[in-house]
Amino acid sequence: MNLFARLIELGETEEKLHPMQLLFWRMLLSILGCSLYIVWRQFPHGLLGNPKVRWLLVARGIAGFFGIYGVWYSIQYLPLSESTVITFIAPNLAGYWCHLFLRDPYTRTEQLASLLSLGGVVLVTKPTTLFSDAVQEGGAVQMALKAVVNVTEMATRRSDAEIVDHHKATTSERLGAIGFSLLGVLGTSFAFTTLRAIGKRAHSLISVNYFSALCVIVTFFGLCFGPYLNIGQPDLRFAVPSSIRQWVLLLLVTVCGLILQILTTKGLAAERSNRATAMTYTQMLFAAIFDRLVWGTTIGWISAIGCAMIIAGAILVALGRRGPIKGKRGEGESVDESDDETVEAVGTRGVEAVPMLRGDFEDQDDDIVLRNLR
């Protein structure tokens, strides 16, 4: 999806679309497809979904808008691999939001993974543009920084095998793209959290439809009022795709996006642990391949170290185990508590103490609940 989005955003001057324009048309197509299917299959509660989770669906849509817009804006000025790897903070941040709002455990391993990922982002967001300003100093420091800059430029030098012209972003464009990418991380992490809270109480297509509808509303007003408020001109304005190439890429973005949203929603509803969100890290492999084959660029050495740190944090989360649960397993039989990975006692507070499990296990006894939590 991000590959096709970047191709349509970096097209010829007459053929490229602003991220806001792309998002409007892509989500409008999604609404048409999802709504027709929901009405045809006569989903319970219709297009609005379960009344008990409608406010969560609205929150998911708003957060999702910032999540996807942040990524699509940043890929205009950042290599696909760098923009993708920055989004890897989202699952770790989502783990903290789930701990804060849903009372999910947030272990020391996950905390360490978050710090490791944050350090990796500092390296990714950086080398040449940030180090080059410091090279003005003299002595051994200047020589060392020059060496870093030279190695980075050699590592990021584009290949002769590129298919599409490589876009060279300025320092200000790059830093702005990083800021939008971090905004996308914040939005995506909240979207993950709301999806975990919704669970199986809403069909995945209902969730996707809310997300698409909120995106269309926000982008419509942005495109309509952008020219009047002189924001992002002359690019931020209402426009219709004007070529076959644009429509083909738009359809590809829409299809890939729908598959992404439906499968992500189903995965987060079925798997309660952070292993589900950690699966998003496989994007890095595809992003690096697309960067190399389509734009002929390879990631810089310093950025590569940062990417490795972020992916290491992802692996820590994916492989981490939940500790034993403190509470009653049965009559008079207690469960030991782990030092750093403790889940709140279900036996003493009941299933209602774990919002993610409410509705799925409320008819089962404590033994089954504890087994499922593990």
Side-chain angles (χ1 to χ4, degrees):
M1 180 185 70
N2 290 338
L3 167 68
F4 296 131
R6 192 169 197 243
L7 286 172
I8 200 171
E9 289 176 4
L10 297 182
E12 299 297 332
T13 304
E14 298 80 14
E15 289 193 355
K16 63 182 179 181
L17 290 179
H18 188 276
M20 194 80 76
Q21 297 169 337
L22 175 58
L23 193 54
F24 173 80
W25 290 107
R26 174 251 192 276
M27 291 304 180
L28 186 61
L29 292 178
S30 297
I31 289 176
L32 294 176
C34 290
S35 297
L36 289 174
Y37 187 82
I38 291 171
V39 173
W40 175 52
R41 295 302 299 267
Q42 297 181 347
F43 281 20
H45 308 293
L47 294 173
L48 296 180
N50 189 341
K52 295 181 180 179
V53 294
R54 284 176 187 171
W55 68 274
L56 283 172
L57 290 167
V58 172
R60 181 266 184 275
I62 296 174
F65 163 77
F66 287 103
I68 193 170
Y69 183 74
V71 173
W72 281 5
Y73 182 91
S74 66
I75 60 178
Q76 296 178 104
Y77 308 110
L78 295 178
L80 197 59
S81 53
E82 288 190 16
S83 178
T84 298
V85 82
I86 291 176
T87 65
F88 290 175
I89 310 176
N92 288 337
L93 189 57
Y96 176 72
W97 297 138
C98 288
H99 169 71
L100 190 63
F101 299 115
L102 305 179
R103 301 179 187 177
D104 279 5
Y106 190 57
T107 66
R108 290 181 184 175
T109 300
E110 291 171 339
Q111 295 171 24
L112 175 62
S114 298
L115 291 176
L116 190 63
S117 298
L118 184 61
V121 170
V122 171
L123 294 182
V124 169
T125 55
K126 85 70 189 15
T128 306
T129 54
L130 299 184
F131 284 132
S132 59
D133 293 336
V135 175
Q136 305 302 326
E137 300 179 8
V141 175
Q142 180 185 21
M143 295 178 62
L145 290 175
K146 274 187 177 180
V148 172
V149 172
N150 291 337
V151 169
T152 301
E153 289 178 343
M154 290 175 62
T156 56
R157 190 170 50 198
R158 60 177 178 166
S159 162
D160 294 333
E162 66 187 53
I163 299 175
V164 179
D165 289 340
H166 178 71
H167 176 74
K168 183 66 174 178
T170 64
T171 301
S172 60
E173 287 175 337
R174 178 182 174 82
L175 293 178
I178 291 169
F180 271 94
S181 185
L182 293 176
L183 175 65
V185 166
L186 188 62
T188 300
S189 65
F190 271 112
F192 280 161
T193 305
T194 56
L195 287 173
R196 293 268 293 271
I198 293 169
K200 296 182 179 180
R201 292 181 290 172
H203 192 279
S204 56
L205 280 182
I206 297 290
S207 176
V208 170
N209 214 32
Y210 265 86
F211 172 40
S212 302
L214 266 298
C215 285
V216 167
I217 292 172
V218 174
T219 53
F220 176 79
F221 283 103
L223 293 173
C224 289
F225 289 101
Y228 293 102
L229 300 177
N230 197 27
I231 299 175
Q233 296 307 301
D235 297 324
L236 188 60
R237 56 185 174 80
F238 194 85
V240 179
S242 57
S243 67
I244 295 178
R245 175 182 179 274
Q246 282 188 337
W247 280 110
V248 170
L249 288 174
L250 180 61
L251 289 174
L252 290 172
V253 168
T254 303
V255 171
C256 292
L258 276 174
I259 294 173
L260 163 69
Q261 291 164 11
I262 292 172
L263 296 184
T264 299
T265 302
K266 284 182 175 293
L268 292 175
E271 173 59 66
R272 303 294 177 185
S273 73
N274 284 333
R275 287 177 296 179
T277 52
M279 287 302 297
T280 60
Y281 298 116
T282 56
Q283 295 177 77
M284 184 60 195
L285 174 63
F286 300 101
I289 293 174
F290 291 148
D291 266 343
R292 180 65 178 173
L293 295 181
V294 180
W295 287 280
T297 59
T298 54
I299 196 167
W301 296 113
I302 297 178
S303 292
I305 295 174
C307 292
M309 291 172 64
I310 295 174
I311 294 174
I315 294 174
L316 282 176
V317 172
L319 299 181
R321 290 189 301 110
R322 297 297 184 198
I325 299 171
K326 181 182 179 182
K328 294 181 180 179
R329 186 179 176 85
E331 279 192 18
E333 185 180 359
S334 61
V335 182
D336 294 333
E337 177 183 5
S338 157
D339 287 338
D340 62 340
E341 294 184 285
T342 303
V343 182
E344 294 288 346
V346 175
T348 58
R349 293 174 24 172
V351 179
E352 298 298 324
V354 188
M356 289 303 301
L357 302 180
R358 186 183 304 135
D360 290 309
F361 304 111
E362 54 191 9
D363 294 328
Q364 302 180 27
D365 60 29
D366 284 347
D367 285 339
I368 298 177
V369 173
L370 291 170
R371 189 158 58 249
N372 276 287
L373 275 174
R374 283 186 169 181

